[in-house]
Amino acid sequence: MPSTIQILFLLFIINANYSFSAAATNRVENNETSHGKNQYSLVHIGVVLDLDSSMGSMADLCINMALSDFYSEHSNYRTRLQLHTKNAESLLDTNIAVLELLKHEEVHGILGPQSPTEDKFVAELGGKVHVPVISFTAKSSTLPYAQNRYFVRTTLDDAYQAQALAAICQGYEWPEVVILYEDTDYGYQFLSHLNKAFQEVEIGIAYMSAISISSEDIQILKEFNKLLEKQTRVFLAHMNSSLGSRLFVLAKKAGMMTEGYAWIITDYLSNFLNSMDFVARDSIEGVLGVRPYVSWSEKIDSFQERWKRNMVLKKSAGSIRELNVYGLWVYDTVWSLAIAAEKIGPVYSSLLYVNTSNNETDKTNLKISLFGPKLLSELSHTKFRGLSGDFQLINGQLKPSAFEIFNIIGSGERTVGFWTPDRGISRELSSTGEPTYSTSTKNLKNVMWPGDSVMRPNGWAIPSTRKLRVGVPLKHGFKEFVNVKIDRATNHTNPTGFSIDIFLATLQWLPFPINYEFCHYRKEINWSYDDMLHNIPQTFDMVVGDTTIWAPRANYVDFTLPYSEPGVILVVKNEKPLDMWIFIKPLRWDLWLAIILSCIMMGIVLRLLEHRVQNTNEESVRPHKERLRMIYWSPIAVLAFPERNMVANSWSIFVLVFWLFMAFILMQSYTANLSAILTVDQLKFAFSEDYYVGYQEGSFMKEFLEKQLHIHESRLKNYSSVEDYHDAMSRGSKRGGIDAIFDEIPYMKIFLKKYDSQYKMVGPTYRTDGFGFAFPFGSPLTAYFSRAILAVTQGSNMTSIEQKNFGPGYSSQDPLSSTVSQQTSSLTFYDFGGLFIIVGSVTMFALFCSETSVGRKFTALTAQYSQVFFCFISSKFHSTQDDKVENHETIQDAAATYSEGRDANIFEEPLRRGEEEICESGQNNGSASAEDREVELTTINEGRNS
């Protein structure tokens, strides 16, 4: 900036051939003379235009017509605007013209400059000398209004137009847009507004192409070839009419004005559509445009007819054939200046300027205007109804109003709706209706799109020049998900697996066909999924595989919804707490002892209760004496042989009922506790910091274990397959293996399915989002594939896809799969070896006592002494009872019963049976020794004598 001022200063010194004081003296004389003669004072306003351009020619005619119309309508006003017009074809001419106007003409306001990129220097200079610079073309400013209040824009700010464009794209559900803009300062300024507006509605900018005004057609066609390779089919053009005419002719030549494409133009081009020739106009058919809305009125119609006549009389060579909004804005601007000047009233020229001691202004001999601040103040408070609508300045710019949304059809235009800052998109401009902001394009009229299509473009498409590159991982393990086979002859990639089947199933749910090819990712050293994802979009357009949706990866790719189970779990070796005496563990030793003692005591009690009860049941299969012997075992035998006639005494039945109740509770408790030992207790696990942990090669688990679970890197080992996991777990950390595995649930379900009884899941499930497909940032395919994945995973074919790849019985819908899975171990013979030993020992002991002579002798002696013992106990018991009986008849009955018992000789019957069995044994078994039979008979006789 200092260099520019210095150059201008030198040019000004060279061309300054007459003195400032003489010009000032003449101005004072002219001003006083006119005031005295015509009874009004002059307010000098400078105008900077490119009179040789179409825009400058139109604006100059509108300015002159505005002055003529205003003072013919307000002939009684005491002030008059005196315009000093300077022709400026370039930026340098503009800056020199402004300096001359400020120094020689001593203007109090500057209207212009014409180009929106020429206002920076002029605005700064006007702020220093307090002269308002009023622009009717600049729609954005490099300096905030608070820093330079002397730069006034009587146009709509581009920020509102950017919001309107963003609302249209949002309403049509276009996820991203390609922007083609003019390679100028104004193009970059407008791009900053678009970026902000699109970010607010979460619409991506797929590509930005800067096109220079001097670009040749071949360069523009090369840029179009780049755009054809991209998926985005929505283009927004921001450029002037001359460049825009060439752009759309070349776009039609490149095949980009056909069905499926959408084009939007800004008011930078749409305000000058009438200046296009027939060829350019024909190529722009189907385009959607926005521009400031001007309500039609008879006053505008009359002004437009007069403007056309004056253009013919003026013999203008400009290309503008129709009046546009810029002509209306400059017309209203002149009216606002005239109104503001009249509000200030007549002033004397001696009070219009003041000298300054500022060094910078002294170099150019410029003075600070005293009239400029007053003019700016009145201009800021001026309100009236002009040709362009309501004229009112807010913060140095025109109050925002409506934008018209129109569709180019043939050689004409059709308004399809409007956008306003307070109501958004609407079909009609009306004060009634919903006051809320709307972005729904359903409020718009039907649009004819390029290619004479009435269907709304999706906004993107797979490029026809190539196939969609689908990346798949080439790895060594867990091939149930992705198994890549490469045809060596053609180098063609043929993947199979669960992830591939999900991808193929989703293609059937997409609303459009996709031409694709599989491309494998292969890296021998330090292979990882992260590296593969970083190849999007350079190498792959999307990645299909067992790729986990993880937050750090979402910083550089977009993921679809998951298609697998989420979560990371810990798997350890199944150390079963089983041994050959496991059946004893449900009850402690004191309870076992109590049960044994209670059985013995119950047998004694039942023997005492049953000794006097005779068997009167004729259908009974057991005699009374044998039934009394069974009583000893009744607490146990009644569970296995619950015959009705085991006991006959009512009190015995009463006792057995409560015993059975207690036995039932003990059995149920035993069963429950044994089940807990065999199942639930196996889930108890405490992770140790000394454990070595395994994770899958190439996955994100290493970073997950280090950062989130704080496991040191030295204790982490990576493996690539189920077999590697099993081998490492079998060896354990003491032999170079691992003690636990951290991995995702889908992998571990396959691992546990193969090695079911040897491992188990323990601990909590850590949060991850499962597997998903990866796309570049902002890819429209992400949303389509996400909806397709929902349809597949919630459809009827999901189970068949799972069982095809993982085997029968597999289902991700199993609620236990993520916690316990199939880890319950099968019981072995060793687990209950102790029980079999006890039962076998008892069986062998019974055979010994029954089938051997020694055993039978031992059994007979045991039975003899047992009978003596129990008879002794019984006699004592009955003698005690007899002493207490007072009734004589009861005593006689008891004595008779006792006498009958003695006469029956309770020992005689078993001894006689023993003799018969010995004799039969001797007859049937000739090999038996006579000596053994003699010993047995001797034993029986001794028992009879006793």
Side-chain angles (χ1 to χ4, degrees):
M1 182 57 67
S3 61
T4 304
I5 296 177
Q6 292 176 1
I7 293 173
L8 295 175
F9 173 72
L10 293 175
L11 291 173
F12 177 76
I13 295 297
I14 293 174
N15 294 314
N17 295 324
Y18 51 94
S19 66
F20 169 78
S21 59
T25 302
N26 293 333
R27 179 168 303 283
V28 172
E29 292 176 355
N30 293 335
N31 193 36
E32 290 177 352
T33 301
S34 61
H35 179 69
K37 183 178 180 180
N38 299 320
Q39 299 299 318
Y40 57 77
S41 62
L42 298 178
V43 177
H44 299 276
I45 303 295
V47 180
V48 181
L49 297 172
D50 181 5
L51 298 176
D52 296 330
S53 66
S54 302
M55 182 74 167
S57 177
M58 178 193 68
D60 182 58
L61 181 56
C62 290
I63 291 173
N64 293 325
M65 292 178 66
L67 280 178
S68 175
D69 293 346
F70 183 83
Y71 288 115
S72 63
E73 186 175 337
H74 305 88
S75 58
N76 59 332
Y77 276 18
R78 296 171 296 170
T79 57
R80 291 291 185 273
L81 296 181
Q82 181 69 40
L83 303 181
H84 302 270
T85 304
K86 294 290 183 180
N87 185 21
E89 298 181 358
S90 64
L91 177 61
L92 184 60
D93 293 340
T94 300
N95 294 334
I96 294 175
V98 172
L99 284 172
E100 290 181 352
L101 288 171
L102 291 175
K103 183 173 183 179
H104 302 313
E105 307 298 338
E106 294 184 355
V107 295
H108 305 291
I110 297 176
L111 185 59
Q114 175 181 321
S115 174
T117 59
E118 298 173 351
D119 56 7
K120 187 174 182 180
F121 172 77
V122 179
E124 291 181 355
L125 192 59
K128 290 180 179 180
V129 297
H130 295 179
V131 173
V133 177
I134 303 132
S135 174
F136 62 93
T137 57
K139 291 181 286 185
S140 60
S141 177
T142 57
L143 292 177
Y145 175 71
Q147 297 182 16
N148 191 355
R149 296 180 177 274
Y150 286 88
F151 182 61
V152 178
R153 294 178 288 132
T154 58
T155 60
L156 296 179
D157 195 278
D158 273 336
Y160 297 105
Q161 183 180 193
Q163 294 176 17
L165 294 170
I168 293 173
C169 294
Q170 183 185 17
Y172 283 117
E173 298 180 355
W174 292 328
E176 56 184 12
V177 179
V178 173
I179 300 176
L180 305 172
Y181 63 98
E182 181 181 297
D183 191 9
T184 58
D185 290 341
Y186 178 54
Y188 288 105
Q189 291 175 10
F190 185 76
L191 191 62
S192 64
H193 293 297
L194 278 179
N195 273 320
K196 182 179 180 181
F198 282 178
Q199 286 178 2
E200 290 177 352
V201 296
E202 297 182 352
I203 294 178
I205 297 178
Y207 186 74
M208 294 180 291
S209 177
I211 301 177
S212 174
I213 299 176
S214 60
S215 297
E216 298 180 357
D217 291 352
I218 187 64
Q219 294 175 321
I220 299 177
L221 286 174
K222 288 182 178 179
E223 192 68 19
F224 282 155
N225 290 332
K226 294 180 182 178
L227 297 177
L228 285 172
E229 296 179 357
K230 299 184 177 300
Q231 298 178 1
T232 307
R233 291 295 181 264
V234 180
F235 301 94
L236 192 153
H238 177 72
M239 55 193 63
N240 60 29
S241 59
S242 60
L243 181 58
S245 300
R246 295 171 53 206
L247 180 82
F248 281 98
V249 171
L250 296 174
K252 186 174 182 179
K253 184 177 180 181
M256 300 177 64
M257 297 298 297
T258 58
E259 184 177 356
Y261 286 85
W263 285 84
I264 307 175
I265 57 175
T266 65
D267 67 344
Y268 194 25
L269 176 58
S270 60
N271 285 324
F272 300 94
L273 292 178
N274 292 324
S275 63
M276 289 185 174
D277 56 22
F278 175 78
V279 177
R281 184 78 184 195
D282 181 66
S283 63
I284 206 172
E285 185 176 6
V287 172
L288 205 64
V290 295
R291 61 191 172 197
Y293 173 67
V294 177
S295 178
W296 180 88
S297 64
E298 293 182 358
K299 188 176 181 180
I300 292 179
D301 192 27
S302 174
F303 175 76
Q304 188 171 7
E305 291 180 359
R306 290 189 295 116
W307 180 84
K308 288 182 179 180
R309 290 196 300 267
N310 291 334
M311 286 292 286
V312 173
L313 294 175
K314 190 178 179 182
K315 297 180 180 181
S316 174
S319 60
I320 296 181
R321 303 184 182 92
E322 297 290 340
L323 184 67
N324 59 33
V325 70
Y326 289 101
L328 302 181
W329 278 339
V330 72
Y331 183 93
D332 291 343
T333 301
V334 173
W335 273 58
S336 66
L337 285 171
I339 294 173
E342 181 64 23
K343 289 181 179 179
I344 298 174
V347 294
Y348 294 101
S349 59
S350 59
L351 301 177
L352 297 180
Y353 299 96
V354 64
N355 290 325
T356 178
S357 60
N358 186 278
N359 292 332
E360 295 183 1
T361 54
D362 284 345
K363 292 179 181 179
T364 53
N365 294 324
L366 297 179
K367 294 183 179 180
I368 296 179
S369 173
L370 297 179
F371 187 80
K374 297 180 181 180
L375 182 63
L376 177 64
S377 177
E378 294 298 336
L379 187 64
S380 300
H381 294 88
T382 299
K383 298 180 183 180
F384 66 96
R385 179 71 179 179
L387 291 181
S388 62
D390 294 331
F391 185 93
Q392 180 182 357
L393 297 178
I394 298 176
N395 294 330
Q397 65 184 22
L398 191 64
K399 180 182 178 180
S401 58
F403 280 88
E404 177 187 8
I405 305 172
F406 65 96
N407 184 211
I408 300 175
I409 303 176
S411 59
E413 302 166 3
R414 178 172 179 260
T415 300
V416 297
F418 302 91
W419 180 89
T420 55
D422 55 343
R423 296 181 57 195
I425 296 176
S426 59
R427 181 184 289 263
E428 302 290 345
L429 280 180
S430 175
S431 58
T432 61
E434 294 293 333
T436 57
Y437 188 88
S438 173
T439 59
S440 175
T441 53
K442 295 180 180 179
N443 299 328
L444 298 178
K445 299 176 183 177
N446 294 331
V447 176
M448 180 69 69
W449 302 99
D452 297 331
S453 174
V454 295
M455 297 296 295
R456 176 187 65 86
N458 290 328
W460 69 276
I462 302 300
S464 59
T465 56
R466 61 176 176 84
K467 298 180 179 179
L468 185 72
R469 300 165 300 173
V470 180
V472 291
L474 179 59
K475 57 180 186 174
H476 301 292
F478 293 100
K479 294 186 177 181
E480 293 85 353
F481 293 95
V482 179
N483 184 18
V484 177
K485 297 179 181 179
I486 302 174
D487 190 344
R488 296 183 178 180
T490 61
N491 199 30
H492 186 69
T493 303
N494 298 313
T496 57
F498 175 70
S499 299
I500 305 302
D501 289 343
I502 292 293
F503 169 73
L504 296 177
T506 56
L507 295 181
Q508 302 176 7
W509 289 91
L510 296 179
F512 46 82
I514 286 185
N515 190 17
Y516 65 92
E517 63 177 350
F518 288 111
C519 305
H520 66 273
Y521 176 76
R522 184 174 187 176
K523 189 177 180 183
E524 297 296 337
I525 302 176
N526 295 329
W527 185 94
S528 70
Y529 287 91
D530 290 336
D531 292 340
M532 181 175 62
L533 294 178
H534 278 297
N535 282 273
I536 299 176
Q538 294 80 10
T539 307
F540 309 123
D541 295 315
M542 66 177 294
V543 167
V544 172
D546 47 345
T547 309
T548 305
I549 303 172
W550 196 38
R553 292 174 178 173
N555 294 325
Y556 50 88
V557 292
D558 280 345
F559 285 102
T560 61
L561 292 176
Y563 62 86
S564 70
E565 297 169 89
V568 174
I569 51 104
L570 174 66
V571 172
V572 297
K573 199 169 183 179
N574 192 8
E575 299 293 345
K576 298 183 296 182
L578 301 178
D579 54 40
M580 62 188 303
W581 304 104
I582 186 65
F583 69 94
I584 297 177
K585 291 187 177 180
L587 306 181
R588 209 170 68 172
W589 66 269
D590 55 348
L591 183 56
W592 281 116
L593 181 61
I595 293 174
I596 294 172
L597 293 177
S598 63
C599 289
I600 295 173
M601 293 301 298
M602 189 64 62
I604 295 174
V605 171
L606 291 177
R607 175 67 179 83
L608 296 177
L609 292 175
E610 292 292 321
H611 80 283
R612 287 186 302 107
V613 180
Q614 297 295 326
N615 186 13
T616 59
N617 188 359
E618 297 178 355
E619 298 178 356
S620 176
V621 296
R622 292 190 180 96
H624 178 67
K625 297 179 180 179
E626 184 177 353
R627 183 167 54 83
L628 290 178
R629 288 196 301 270
M630 289 295 296
I631 291 298
Y632 299 141
W633 300 93
S634 61
I636 298 175
V638 76
L639 301 177
F641 310 103
E643 282 83 354
R644 182 183 55 179
N645 59 350
M646 181 169 289
V647 294
N649 193 336
S650 299
W651 289 107
S652 299
I653 296 174
F654 178 77
V655 171
L656 280 178
V657 168
F658 283 91
W659 162 250
L660 291 176
F661 178 74
M662 183 189 71
F664 178 78
I665 294 176
L666 289 174
M667 285 189 296
Q668 295 299 321
S669 302
Y670 176 88
T671 303
N673 203 15
L674 182 61
S675 300
I677 293 175
L678 297 177
T679 56
V680 179
D681 289 350
Q682 296 183 44
L683 301 179
K684 296 179 180 179
F685 176 79
F687 187 78
S688 173
E689 295 182 355
D690 297 331
Y691 276 10
Y692 282 84
V693 179
Y695 65 94
Q696 188 177 167
E697 180 184 14
S699 70
F700 70 100
M701 288 305 304
K702 181 178 180 181
E703 185 176 355
F704 176 84
L705 294 172
E706 290 180 0
K707 293 185 177 180
Q708 297 195 24
L709 300 185
H710 308 290
I711 300 176
H712 196 269
E713 182 182 5
S714 61
R715 299 199 170 273
L716 300 178
K717 298 181 180 181
N718 62 76
Y719 301 94
S720 59
S721 65
V722 171
E723 293 74 17
D724 293 343
Y725 272 149
H726 176 60
D727 178 67
M729 290 287 283
S730 300
R731 288 185 283 113
S733 59
K734 295 181 179 179
R735 293 187 295 170
I738 55 176
D739 303 296
I741 303 172
F742 259 109
D743 214 333
E744 296 178 83
I745 289 177
Y747 297 126
M748 291 297 93
K749 288 181 69 175
I750 296 176
F751 177 72
L752 293 173
K753 183 178 179 64
K754 186 172 184 180
Y755 305 103
D756 182 28
S757 62
Q758 303 180 42
Y759 303 98
K760 60 184 177 181
M761 296 182 185
V762 295
T765 299
Y766 297 91
R767 175 68 180 174
T768 60
D769 286 337
F771 301 152
F773 301 154
F775 292 89
F777 264 137
S779 174
L781 286 174
T782 307
Y784 285 100
F785 268 94
S786 293
R787 287 190 284 267
I789 286 174
L790 281 178
V792 172
T793 55
Q794 297 178 8
S796 58
N797 295 331
M798 186 63 180
T799 302
S800 61
I801 294 176
E802 291 176 336
Q803 295 185 1
K804 170 189 173 183
N805 295 279
F806 304 132
Y810 184 97
S811 176
S812 60
Q813 306 301 322
D814 184 3
L816 297 179
S817 296
S818 61
T819 54
V820 180
S821 188
Q822 303 175 18
Q823 64 191 23
T824 303
S825 303
S826 299
L827 300 177
T828 64
F829 172 79
Y830 177 80
D831 299 333
F832 290 91
L835 183 61
F836 282 96
I837 291 175
I838 293 176
V839 175
S841 300
V842 172
T843 304
M844 296 303 296
F845 179 75
L847 289 174
F848 171 78
C849 294
S850 175
E851 302 300 329
T852 64
S853 59
V854 177
R856 285 193 294 270
K857 184 177 181 179
F858 172 77
T859 303
L861 290 175
T862 303
Q864 177 182 350
Y865 289 112
S866 297
Q867 290 289 344
V868 171
F869 173 77
F870 281 107
C871 287
F872 175 78
I873 296 298
S874 178
S875 62
K876 290 293 185 182
F877 174 77
H878 284 288
S879 63
T880 304
Q881 293 293 328
D882 291 341
D883 293 340
K884 294 182 179 180
V885 176
E886 297 179 358
N887 190 301
H888 178 74
E889 294 180 358
T890 304
I891 293 177
Q892 292 294 331
D893 293 340
T897 302
Y898 180 76
S899 176
E900 291 175 359
R902 292 183 57 86
D903 294 341
N905 195 354
I906 61 176
F907 297 103
E908 183 62 27
E909 182 64 22
L911 292 177
R912 184 180 58 79
R913 289 184 181 179
E915 291 179 2
E916 293 176 356
E917 290 177 357
I918 293 172
C919 294
E920 292 176 359
S921 176
Q923 295 175 0
N924 297 330
N925 190 1
S927 61
S929 61
E931 183 179 355
D932 293 338
R933 291 196 300 273
E934 185 177 355
V935 171
E936 293 176 354
L937 291 174
T938 303
T939 303
I940 292 175
N941 291 328
E942 291 178 355
R944 181 180 288 112
N945 295 330
S946 64

